[in-house]
Amino acid sequence: LEALGLAALPAVRERLGSLAQGTPARARLEALASRLAVVIQKAWVEPGPVLPGESLRETIESVRGRPLTAEGFVDLVVRALEELPEGSPGIDLFAERPGDDTGVELRLRLLGGNLDEPAPTGGGVSVDVRVLVGEERVVAGRSFASRWTAPERSTNLEYYLSGLGKALASSPETRFEVLVELR
């Protein structure tokens, strides 16, 4: 069933409704439903004032049909920052699952703006993160780093996205949103 991808989710959820709680078959189907519910159905770069390079656009579009993972999300943020085109001071990466068996939508937006404008910290990087699971705000906040070197990026993002695991582990009918903005 898993090979069928997101299209199998409605049938899996229907079958779950007929299985008793606590049975091994139910546990396996619940795990399958959770994996299917985080498959990325749509992935795109939103048109804006700054256009992505071909490689970055292909990277974002290549995740279609794959499950969203915390590691994969962090990798996309890092890759987008590494391939940030001239004229863009940052990115926002947004993932949403409506909880209606349609999977996850992933959108990258390259931020425009005045590159000569000082950062809110007087230099450095601003990181704004929001993770909502259902109606619960699991993570919300802004932080500033005086520097943001390549080896630190994944570690810092994993810390900021600590709530992403809770979103990914939520039941398939639970809506979630994840937004990371780096400038």
Side-chain angles (χ1 to χ4, degrees), residues 6 9 13 21 26 35 59 85 107 114 137 163 172:
L6 191 56
L9 185 55
R13 288 179 28 105
Q21 291 288 342
R26 183 176 182 86
R35 289 191 305 273
T59 296
R107 181 211 70 217
N114 183 354
R137 186 175 298 193

Side-chain angles (χ1 to χ4, degrees), residues 90-120:
I91 64 158
D92 90 25
L93 187 62
F94 181 72
E96 177 183 27
R97 180 179 72 189
D100 60 358
D101 294 346
T102 58
V104 174
E105 292 188 8
L106 184 83
R107 181 211 70 217
L108 174 69
R109 183 171 57 103
L110 300 174
L111 303 176
N114 183 354
L115 295 173
D116 296 325
E117 193 175 288

